[in-house]
Amino acid sequence: MPTSSSLILHHYPLSPFAEKVRLMLGHKALDWKSVTIPMVSPKPDLVALTGGYRRTPVLQIGADIYCDTALIADVLEHTQPLPTLYPEPSKGLARTLAQWADGTLFWTAMAFNMQPRGLAQIFEHTPPEAAQAFRQDRSAMAAGMPRQRPQDAAAAYKSYLRRLSDMLDDRPFLLGDVPCIADFAAYHPLWFTRSRTSVLAEVLGLTPAVLEWMDRLAATGHGTWEKLGAQEAIEVAAAAEPAALQGDVFQDEHGIPLGSQVLVSAESFGPEPTQGELVAATRMHYTLRRHDARAGTVHVHFPRIGYALKAA
Ligand SMILES: N[C@@H](CCC(=O)N[C@@H](CS)C(=O)NCC(=O)O)C(=O)O
């Protein structure tokens, strides 16, 4: 069982999905270390750990590397079970609502946030090349994905905010008296509007109950953290052994046996695959074992939902 002080989050301040994890760390009052990663590729120090995956954030515990916030939430729950992110009796509902928020709500909010006025605010203090590099990097990541225009996104965003507001009519959090995974997932795209593209934040004023709910979640804080260098994080991995795998390591859906060289990649947005030996495919997660010249032997973990597994 990892101790909370061994948690290392690879992230950058502007990232909404990172804000989701920072708040979950606060919710569970955890201690963690913070490695700041670049906002755009190349990310050589991160990729030394992940073997290819470049999205943000990534959680490291020793030589175990956890990709995707849905998986990171499960790892935090295991590390510190209380307060739970999955209160009964609405665990299934909470996960399903969180998936909607991380997908539909996130992409709608970001299509709205990234309209020219929002982009101008994000990059107002940076050289024009930084904005250009960001646009190029993100359009390469989004190749093949449907693109929503800001005008269409604005209408959908307002509807989604009204739906969230309806849910908050008679309760402080989306599914009850305490926050659950759905609250953290629905919060982060709205946090971006409110704090990073605040020139557009009047849209949130239409639903005051949502703003009050955001204040309640923000009060959770980010737990206790200190900075760590990227090279030091790699040294932590190199000095550690991956944690032992749990018993039920194989649910085969692909006809690819354990021990095979495989590629795992996100189904959309950021197709860079990670290659390694498939050492576990549980009901919910894949684990790839790989060797890196700098990080040594690491286990890289992915959720099954949202990721494609192929023979290398
Ligand atoms: N499903 C992923 C989505 C992660 C994601 O799309 N993160 C954005 C930042 S908020 C990203 O990776 N952007 C490109 C980058 O940071 O390089 C998760 O839950 O972690």
Side-chain angles (χ1 to χ4, degrees):
M1 166 82 77
T3 63
S4 67
S5 60
S6 59
L7 302 171
I8 302 174
L9 187 68
H10 297 257
H11 67 135
Y12 52 84
L14 193 71
S15 158
F17 277 98
E19 181 64 11
K20 174 183 168 190
V21 174
R22 292 186 291 252
L23 266 195
M24 293 193 294
L25 288 159
H27 179 60
K28 288 180 174 289
L30 287 163
D31 295 338
W32 53 284
K33 300 218 165 49
S34 166
V35 176
T36 302
I37 62 171
M39 273 175 40
V40 296
S41 275
K43 307 186 183 190
D45 294 330
L46 181 71
V47 169
L49 296 166
T50 65
Y53 185 83
R54 53 73 51 106
R55 300 201 297 188
T56 310
V58 165
L59 182 74
Q60 174 188 356
I61 303 176
D64 284 274
I65 312 298
Y66 298 95
C67 302
D68 199 287
T69 60
L71 172 56
I72 293 171
D74 289 344
V75 174
L76 298 184
E77 184 79 357
H78 180 75
T79 304
Q80 173 61 60
L82 295 175
T84 180
L85 292 165
Y86 310 102
E88 292 291 7
S90 1
K91 197 167 156 182
L93 180 57
R95 281 194 191 274
T96 305
L97 185 56
Q99 191 182 18
W100 167 83
D102 282 341
T104 305
L105 176 64
F106 173 78
W107 285 110
T108 301
M110 292 315 269
F112 176 82
N113 295 334
M114 295 293 175
Q115 61 184 280
R117 273 203 303 148
L119 273 175
Q121 183 178 19
I122 295 169
F123 291 104
E124 65 188 338
H125 301 303
T126 48
E129 309 84 77
Q132 177 64 5
F134 180 83
R135 265 195 297 270
Q136 277 174 357
D137 181 80
R138 294 307 192 263
S139 47
M141 284 183 86
M145 287 174 69
R147 206 161 281 214
Q148 220 175 352
R149 292 175 311 154
Q151 303 85 328
D152 298 322
Y157 195 20
K158 288 174 189 169
S159 290
Y160 296 153
L161 289 169
R162 283 195 301 271
R163 289 177 191 182
L164 293 174
S165 182
D166 281 349
M167 296 179 76
L168 295 163
D169 260 357
D170 57 352
R171 56 187 83 162
F173 295 100
L174 293 179
L175 295 180
D177 288 335
V178 290
C180 68
I181 187 68
D183 291 279
F184 297 103
Y187 174 85
H188 66 93
L190 281 53
W191 162 84
F192 196 94
T193 310
R194 193 180 200 186
S195 65
R196 297 305 194 248
T197 55
S198 56
V199 289
L200 304 171
E202 70 270 19
V203 71
L204 300 168
L206 304 172
T207 48
V210 170
L211 280 172
E212 286 160 25
W213 162 80
M214 289 182 75
D215 289 340
R216 281 194 284 280
L217 280 169
T220 307
H222 291 162
T224 311
W225 59 274
E226 59 187 55
K227 279 195 165 292
L228 184 73
Q231 177 57 30
E232 288 170 281
I234 291 172
E235 286 162 16
V236 168
E241 288 290 322
L245 297 164
Q246 305 298 323
D248 58 335
V249 292
F250 198 43
Q251 177 183 306
D252 184 22
E253 307 286 356
H254 299 78
I256 300 176
L258 290 183
S260 308
Q261 279 294 313
V262 295
L263 296 164
V264 170
S265 52
E267 280 167 357
S268 62
F269 194 59
E272 294 84 350
T274 289
Q275 179 168 349
E277 177 193 346
L278 184 67
V279 290
T282 67
R283 278 185 305 128
M284 288 170 68
H285 310 138
Y286 296 121
T287 302
L288 272 54
R289 184 177 178 86
R290 54 176 295 276
H291 305 280
D292 180 84
R294 296 167 68 199
T297 299
V298 293
H299 280 179
V300 189
H301 308 266
F302 296 90
R304 289 183 79 138
I305 293 177
Y307 290 81
L309 173 77
K310 293 188 180 132

